[in-house]
Amino acid sequence: MERQPTESLGVVAMNAPQRELIEDLLHTAVKRSDPAQRFIDARRRPRAVLREEPRERARDERDVIYISNTYGRSPGGQVYQRFGPINGPTGHRRLNVLFTRARHRVVLFSSMLAEDILAQPSSSWGVRALKGYLHYAQTGVLETASFSGKEPDSDFELEVAHALRDRGYDVVAQVGIAGYFIDLAVRHPRKPDAFLLGIECDGMTYHSGLSARDRDRLRQQVLEGLGWNIHRIWSTDWFKQPRIELDRVVAQVEQLLRG
């Protein structure tokens, strides 16, 4: 209201108690701000700021929509997989209405990240849509990792995977992202849907093939642009000194965990 008074504003929460809390706090704050009062007076209506819950048929658009995600961690640090009406059969429609009401931009406030939502193939469309939107808000891309269910492609990949599992890491093979498959991916120990590191296991042919190296470089740029950390292991290095190569992977994983 104070910095961009020419833009209309909407504030939407995921449930009634949060909406009412925001409304009470906003009402108090506006009284202390002349620019905010002028913002409301200039529109000459009591609903200068849209404040409500997402509804299936609500179509009131605003230049900017603020979304209070509301759902988050409990005082004990858990994320309960309870998302109210979003869990229902029409939850995805409610979210679609909400996510498409801003003419210019959406600002999302959330203490919960996409990886905190444990969406399964059997989960409702609403839960999957919420997870996908949070991922998009975090990364700016509409891509999420998918599990192919495939085993590693080579004995080299199997050996690397076994070595990491022996060190206590959860390793998944052939994770799909943006049309590519990452050879191995190390899961985050505290976020089941998140990955710390993607590992590419390259054989002898990559040393000699210029086109293969160029293709791999482009592939890595795409994956890193999607937020992945990529570590590359050459088969010749692994077979000469597997312990040193494994220690390098572990060191990177631990650094990412600390960061």
Short mmCIF file of all heavy atoms in Angstrom, two decimals, residues 1-11 22-23 25-43 45-51 62 64 66 105:
data_model
loop_
_atom_site.label_atom_id
_atom_site.label_comp_id
_atom_site.label_asym_id
_atom_site.label_seq_id
_atom_site.Cartn_x
_atom_site.Cartn_y
_atom_site.Cartn_z
N MET A 1 0.84 -1.22 0.00
CA MET A 1 0.00 0.00 0.00
C MET A 1 0.86 1.26 0.00
O MET A 1 0.54 2.25 -0.65
CB MET A 1 -0.90 0.01 1.23
CG MET A 1 -2.00 -1.03 1.21
SD MET A 1 -2.95 -0.93 2.76
CE MET A 1 -4.09 -2.26 2.51
N GLU A 2 1.96 1.22 0.76
CA GLU A 2 2.82 2.41 0.88
C GLU A 2 3.77 2.55 -0.30
O GLU A 2 4.01 3.67 -0.77
CB GLU A 2 3.63 2.32 2.19
CG GLU A 2 2.75 2.41 3.43
CD GLU A 2 3.54 2.25 4.71
OE1 GLU A 2 4.73 1.83 4.65
OE2 GLU A 2 2.98 2.53 5.78
N ARG A 3 4.30 1.44 -0.80
CA ARG A 3 5.34 1.52 -1.82
C ARG A 3 4.80 1.44 -3.24
O ARG A 3 5.42 1.96 -4.17
CB ARG A 3 6.36 0.40 -1.61
CG ARG A 3 7.11 0.52 -0.28
CD ARG A 3 8.05 -0.65 -0.08
NE ARG A 3 8.67 -0.61 1.24
CZ ARG A 3 9.47 -1.57 1.71
NH1 ARG A 3 9.73 -2.63 0.97
NH2 ARG A 3 10.00 -1.46 2.91
N GLN A 4 3.69 0.76 -3.44
CA GLN A 4 3.13 0.61 -4.79
C GLN A 4 1.62 0.84 -4.74
O GLN A 4 0.82 -0.06 -4.97
CB GLN A 4 3.46 -0.79 -5.32
CG GLN A 4 4.95 -0.94 -5.64
CD GLN A 4 5.40 -2.38 -5.61
OE1 GLN A 4 5.07 -3.14 -4.71
NE2 GLN A 4 6.17 -2.77 -6.61
N PRO A 5 1.22 2.06 -4.46
CA PRO A 5 -0.20 2.35 -4.24
C PRO A 5 -1.06 2.26 -5.50
O PRO A 5 -2.28 2.26 -5.39
CB PRO A 5 -0.18 3.78 -3.69
CG PRO A 5 1.08 4.37 -4.21
CD PRO A 5 2.07 3.26 -4.25
N THR A 6 -0.43 2.17 -6.67
CA THR A 6 -1.23 2.09 -7.90
C THR A 6 -1.71 0.67 -8.19
O THR A 6 -2.55 0.47 -9.07
CB THR A 6 -0.41 2.60 -9.10
OG1 THR A 6 0.75 1.78 -9.26
CG2 THR A 6 -0.01 4.05 -8.90
N GLU A 7 -1.18 -0.32 -7.49
CA GLU A 7 -1.55 -1.70 -7.75
C GLU A 7 -2.63 -2.17 -6.78
O GLU A 7 -2.52 -1.93 -5.57
CB GLU A 7 -0.33 -2.62 -7.62
CG GLU A 7 0.73 -2.37 -8.67
CD GLU A 7 1.90 -3.33 -8.53
OE1 GLU A 7 2.23 -3.71 -7.39
OE2 GLU A 7 2.48 -3.69 -9.56
N SER A 8 -3.64 -2.83 -7.30
CA SER A 8 -4.65 -3.42 -6.42
C SER A 8 -4.06 -4.67 -5.75
O SER A 8 -3.14 -5.31 -6.28
CB SER A 8 -5.90 -3.78 -7.20
OG SER A 8 -5.61 -4.70 -8.25
N LEU A 9 -4.61 -5.01 -4.60
CA LEU A 9 -3.99 -6.03 -3.75
C LEU A 9 -5.01 -7.03 -3.24
O LEU A 9 -6.12 -6.66 -2.84
CB LEU A 9 -3.30 -5.35 -2.56
CG LEU A 9 -2.66 -6.23 -1.49
CD1 LEU A 9 -1.54 -7.07 -2.07
CD2 LEU A 9 -2.17 -5.36 -0.34
N GLY A 10 -4.64 -8.29 -3.25
CA GLY A 10 -5.45 -9.34 -2.65
C GLY A 10 -4.63 -10.16 -1.68
O GLY A 10 -3.46 -10.44 -1.94
N VAL A 11 -5.22 -10.52 -0.54
CA VAL A 11 -4.56 -11.37 0.45
C VAL A 11 -5.46 -12.57 0.68
O VAL A 11 -6.62 -12.42 1.06
CB VAL A 11 -4.33 -10.62 1.78
CG1 VAL A 11 -3.61 -11.54 2.77
CG2 VAL A 11 -3.51 -9.36 1.54
N ILE A 22 -5.19 -12.31 9.89
CA ILE A 22 -4.59 -11.33 8.98
C ILE A 22 -5.45 -10.08 8.89
O ILE A 22 -4.95 -8.95 8.91
CB ILE A 22 -4.39 -11.96 7.58
CG1 ILE A 22 -3.33 -13.05 7.64
CG2 ILE A 22 -4.01 -10.89 6.55
CD1 ILE A 22 -3.21 -13.86 6.37
N GLU A 23 -6.75 -10.27 8.82
CA GLU A 23 -7.66 -9.13 8.71
C GLU A 23 -7.58 -8.23 9.95
O GLU A 23 -7.52 -7.00 9.84
CB GLU A 23 -9.09 -9.62 8.50
CG GLU A 23 -10.04 -8.52 8.08
CD GLU A 23 -11.27 -9.06 7.37
OE1 GLU A 23 -11.51 -10.28 7.45
OE2 GLU A 23 -11.97 -8.27 6.74
N LEU A 25 -5.03 -7.94 12.07
CA LEU A 25 -3.72 -7.29 12.11
C LEU A 25 -3.63 -6.18 11.07
O LEU A 25 -3.07 -5.11 11.33
CB LEU A 25 -2.61 -8.32 11.86
CG LEU A 25 -2.42 -9.38 12.95
CD1 LEU A 25 -1.45 -10.46 12.49
CD2 LEU A 25 -1.92 -8.74 14.24
N LEU A 26 -4.20 -6.42 9.90
CA LEU A 26 -4.17 -5.41 8.86
C LEU A 26 -5.00 -4.18 9.25
O LEU A 26 -4.59 -3.03 9.04
CB LEU A 26 -4.70 -6.01 7.54
CG LEU A 26 -4.73 -5.07 6.34
CD1 LEU A 26 -3.33 -4.57 6.01
CD2 LEU A 26 -5.32 -5.79 5.13
N HIS A 27 -6.16 -4.44 9.84
CA HIS A 27 -7.02 -3.34 10.28
C HIS A 27 -6.29 -2.44 11.27
O HIS A 27 -6.36 -1.20 11.20
CB HIS A 27 -8.30 -3.90 10.91
CG HIS A 27 -9.26 -2.85 11.37
ND1 HIS A 27 -10.00 -2.08 10.49
CD2 HIS A 27 -9.60 -2.44 12.63
CE1 HIS A 27 -10.75 -1.23 11.18
NE2 HIS A 27 -10.52 -1.43 12.47
N THR A 28 -5.55 -3.05 12.19
CA THR A 28 -4.78 -2.27 13.18
C THR A 28 -3.64 -1.52 12.51
O THR A 28 -3.38 -0.35 12.82
CB THR A 28 -4.23 -3.21 14.26
OG1 THR A 28 -5.32 -3.88 14.90
CG2 THR A 28 -3.43 -2.44 15.30
N ALA A 29 -2.94 -2.17 11.59
CA ALA A 29 -1.78 -1.56 10.94
C ALA A 29 -2.18 -0.38 10.06
O ALA A 29 -1.46 0.63 10.00
CB ALA A 29 -1.03 -2.60 10.13
N VAL A 30 -3.31 -0.50 9.38
CA VAL A 30 -3.76 0.58 8.48
C VAL A 30 -4.01 1.87 9.26
O VAL A 30 -3.73 2.98 8.77
CB VAL A 30 -5.02 0.13 7.71
CG1 VAL A 30 -5.72 1.33 7.06
CG2 VAL A 30 -4.66 -0.89 6.64
N LYS A 31 -4.50 1.73 10.48
CA LYS A 31 -4.77 2.93 11.29
C LYS A 31 -3.51 3.73 11.57
O LYS A 31 -3.57 4.95 11.79
CB LYS A 31 -5.41 2.51 12.62
CG LYS A 31 -6.83 1.97 12.49
CD LYS A 31 -7.36 1.58 13.86
CE LYS A 31 -8.78 1.06 13.78
NZ LYS A 31 -9.29 0.64 15.11
N ARG A 32 -2.35 3.07 11.55
CA ARG A 32 -1.09 3.74 11.86
C ARG A 32 -0.35 4.23 10.62
O ARG A 32 0.75 4.75 10.71
CB ARG A 32 -0.18 2.79 12.64
CG ARG A 32 -0.76 2.34 13.98
CD ARG A 32 0.32 1.71 14.84
NE ARG A 32 0.85 0.50 14.22
CZ ARG A 32 0.44 -0.73 14.52
NH1 ARG A 32 -0.53 -0.90 15.43
NH2 ARG A 32 0.97 -1.77 13.94
N SER A 33 -0.96 4.06 9.45
CA SER A 33 -0.27 4.40 8.20
C SER A 33 -1.16 5.29 7.34
O SER A 33 -2.19 4.83 6.83
CB SER A 33 0.11 3.13 7.44
OG SER A 33 0.55 3.44 6.14
N ASP A 34 -0.76 6.54 7.16
CA ASP A 34 -1.53 7.43 6.28
C ASP A 34 -1.54 6.95 4.84
O ASP A 34 -2.59 6.99 4.18
CB ASP A 34 -0.96 8.85 6.36
CG ASP A 34 -1.25 9.50 7.72
OD1 ASP A 34 -2.20 9.05 8.39
OD2 ASP A 34 -0.52 10.44 8.08
N PRO A 35 -0.39 6.49 4.28
CA PRO A 35 -0.43 5.98 2.90
C PRO A 35 -1.38 4.80 2.73
O PRO A 35 -2.08 4.70 1.72
CB PRO A 35 1.02 5.57 2.63
CG PRO A 35 1.84 6.40 3.55
CD PRO A 35 1.01 6.54 4.79
N ALA A 36 -1.43 3.92 3.72
CA ALA A 36 -2.34 2.78 3.63
C ALA A 36 -3.79 3.23 3.68
O ALA A 36 -4.65 2.72 2.95
CB ALA A 36 -2.05 1.79 4.77
N GLN A 37 -4.06 4.22 4.50
CA GLN A 37 -5.43 4.75 4.57
C GLN A 37 -5.81 5.40 3.25
O GLN A 37 -6.94 5.25 2.77
CB GLN A 37 -5.54 5.76 5.71
CG GLN A 37 -6.97 6.13 6.07
CD GLN A 37 -7.79 4.93 6.51
OE1 GLN A 37 -7.45 4.26 7.46
NE2 GLN A 37 -8.88 4.66 5.80
N ARG A 38 -4.86 6.14 2.65
CA ARG A 38 -5.14 6.75 1.34
C ARG A 38 -5.36 5.68 0.28
O ARG A 38 -6.19 5.85 -0.63
CB ARG A 38 -3.99 7.68 0.94
CG ARG A 38 -3.93 8.97 1.76
CD ARG A 38 -3.02 9.99 1.08
NE ARG A 38 -1.64 9.54 1.03
CZ ARG A 38 -0.75 9.77 2.00
NH1 ARG A 38 -1.12 10.45 3.09
NH2 ARG A 38 0.49 9.35 1.89
N PHE A 39 -4.62 4.58 0.38
CA PHE A 39 -4.78 3.47 -0.55
C PHE A 39 -6.22 2.96 -0.54
O PHE A 39 -6.84 2.74 -1.58
CB PHE A 39 -3.81 2.34 -0.16
CG PHE A 39 -3.91 1.09 -1.00
CD1 PHE A 39 -3.07 0.91 -2.09
CD2 PHE A 39 -4.81 0.08 -0.69
CE1 PHE A 39 -3.15 -0.25 -2.86
CE2 PHE A 39 -4.90 -1.07 -1.45
CZ PHE A 39 -4.06 -1.24 -2.53
N ILE A 40 -6.76 2.79 0.65
CA ILE A 40 -8.13 2.30 0.79
C ILE A 40 -9.14 3.37 0.37
O ILE A 40 -10.10 3.09 -0.35
CB ILE A 40 -8.37 1.82 2.23
CG1 ILE A 40 -7.54 0.55 2.49
CG2 ILE A 40 -9.85 1.55 2.48
CD1 ILE A 40 -7.60 0.04 3.90
N ASP A 41 -8.90 4.60 0.80
CA ASP A 41 -9.83 5.69 0.45
C ASP A 41 -9.89 5.92 -1.05
O ASP A 41 -10.96 6.24 -1.59
CB ASP A 41 -9.41 6.98 1.16
CG ASP A 41 -9.60 6.90 2.67
OD1 ASP A 41 -10.34 6.00 3.11
OD2 ASP A 41 -9.00 7.72 3.39
N ALA A 42 -8.75 5.76 -1.73
CA ALA A 42 -8.72 6.01 -3.17
C ALA A 42 -9.61 5.04 -3.94
O ALA A 42 -10.10 5.36 -5.02
CB ALA A 42 -7.28 5.92 -3.69
N ARG A 43 -9.83 3.88 -3.37
CA ARG A 43 -10.67 2.89 -4.05
C ARG A 43 -12.14 3.01 -3.64
O ARG A 43 -13.01 2.42 -4.26
CB ARG A 43 -10.13 1.49 -3.76
CG ARG A 43 -8.91 1.21 -4.63
CD ARG A 43 -7.95 0.20 -4.03
NE ARG A 43 -6.83 -0.04 -4.93
CZ ARG A 43 -5.79 0.80 -5.07
NH1 ARG A 43 -5.74 1.91 -4.36
NH2 ARG A 43 -4.81 0.52 -5.93
N ARG A 45 -14.11 1.91 -1.43
CA ARG A 45 -14.94 0.75 -1.13
C ARG A 45 -14.31 0.01 0.03
O ARG A 45 -13.08 0.03 0.20
CB ARG A 45 -15.09 -0.17 -2.33
CG ARG A 45 -13.77 -0.64 -2.94
CD ARG A 45 -14.03 -1.60 -4.07
NE ARG A 45 -12.78 -2.01 -4.71
CZ ARG A 45 -12.68 -3.00 -5.56
NH1 ARG A 45 -13.74 -3.70 -5.88
NH2 ARG A 45 -11.52 -3.32 -6.09
N PRO A 46 -15.10 -0.67 0.83
CA PRO A 46 -14.54 -1.33 2.01
C PRO A 46 -13.64 -2.51 1.67
O PRO A 46 -12.83 -2.93 2.48
CB PRO A 46 -15.79 -1.80 2.78
CG PRO A 46 -16.85 -1.89 1.75
CD PRO A 46 -16.56 -0.79 0.77
N ARG A 47 -13.80 -3.06 0.46
CA ARG A 47 -12.99 -4.22 0.08
C ARG A 47 -11.84 -3.80 -0.82
O ARG A 47 -11.56 -4.42 -1.85
CB ARG A 47 -13.85 -5.26 -0.62
CG ARG A 47 -14.97 -5.80 0.25
CD ARG A 47 -14.47 -6.78 1.28
NE ARG A 47 -14.21 -8.07 0.68
CZ ARG A 47 -13.69 -9.10 1.33
NH1 ARG A 47 -13.36 -8.95 2.61
NH2 ARG A 47 -13.48 -10.24 0.74
N ALA A 48 -11.17 -2.70 -0.46
CA ALA A 48 -10.02 -2.26 -1.24
C ALA A 48 -8.95 -3.34 -1.27
O ALA A 48 -8.21 -3.47 -2.23
CB ALA A 48 -9.45 -0.98 -0.66
N VAL A 49 -8.88 -4.10 -0.19
CA VAL A 49 -7.98 -5.25 -0.15
C VAL A 49 -8.84 -6.50 -0.03
O VAL A 49 -9.63 -6.64 0.90
CB VAL A 49 -7.01 -5.17 1.04
CG1 VAL A 49 -6.09 -6.39 1.04
CG2 VAL A 49 -6.19 -3.89 0.97
N LEU A 50 -8.69 -7.38 -1.00
CA LEU A 50 -9.43 -8.63 -0.99
C LEU A 50 -8.84 -9.53 0.10
O LEU A 50 -7.66 -9.83 0.11
CB LEU A 50 -9.30 -9.30 -2.36
CG LEU A 50 -9.89 -10.70 -2.53
CD1 LEU A 50 -11.40 -10.62 -2.46
CD2 LEU A 50 -9.46 -11.29 -3.86
N ARG A 51 -9.68 -10.00 1.04
CA ARG A 51 -9.21 -10.87 2.11
C ARG A 51 -10.16 -12.04 2.23
O ARG A 51 -11.30 -11.88 2.67
CB ARG A 51 -9.15 -10.09 3.44
CG ARG A 51 -8.25 -8.88 3.38
CD ARG A 51 -8.19 -8.16 4.72
NE ARG A 51 -9.44 -7.50 5.07
CZ ARG A 51 -9.79 -6.29 4.64
NH1 ARG A 51 -9.01 -5.63 3.81
NH2 ARG A 51 -10.93 -5.74 5.01
N ARG A 62 -6.89 -9.32 -8.87
CA ARG A 62 -6.14 -8.17 -8.40
C ARG A 62 -4.79 -8.14 -9.10
O ARG A 62 -4.32 -9.16 -9.62
CB ARG A 62 -5.95 -8.23 -6.88
CG ARG A 62 -7.26 -8.21 -6.09
CD ARG A 62 -8.04 -6.91 -6.33
NE ARG A 62 -9.41 -7.00 -5.92
CZ ARG A 62 -9.89 -6.53 -4.79
NH1 ARG A 62 -9.09 -5.96 -3.92
NH2 ARG A 62 -11.17 -6.64 -4.52
N VAL A 64 -1.86 -7.77 -7.68
CA VAL A 64 -0.94 -8.57 -6.88
C VAL A 64 -1.75 -9.41 -5.89
O VAL A 64 -2.68 -8.90 -5.27
CB VAL A 64 0.05 -7.68 -6.10
CG1 VAL A 64 1.04 -8.54 -5.31
CG2 VAL A 64 0.79 -6.75 -7.05
N TYR A 66 -1.25 -11.77 -2.51
CA TYR A 66 -0.43 -12.34 -1.44
C TYR A 66 -1.12 -13.62 -0.97
O TYR A 66 -2.31 -13.60 -0.65
CB TYR A 66 -0.34 -11.38 -0.26
CG TYR A 66 0.63 -10.23 -0.43
CD1 TYR A 66 1.36 -10.05 -1.60
CD2 TYR A 66 0.81 -9.32 0.59
CE1 TYR A 66 2.24 -9.00 -1.74
CE2 TYR A 66 1.69 -8.26 0.47
CZ TYR A 66 2.40 -8.10 -0.70
OH TYR A 66 3.28 -7.05 -0.83
N ARG A 105 1.55 -10.39 -10.48
CA ARG A 105 2.45 -11.30 -9.77
C ARG A 105 1.78 -11.86 -8.52
O ARG A 105 0.80 -11.31 -8.01
CB ARG A 105 3.75 -10.60 -9.39
CG ARG A 105 3.63 -9.50 -8.36
CD ARG A 105 4.97 -8.79 -8.13
NE ARG A 105 4.85 -7.72 -7.15
CZ ARG A 105 4.41 -6.51 -7.43
NH1 ARG A 105 4.05 -6.21 -8.67
NH2 ARG A 105 4.33 -5.59 -6.49
#
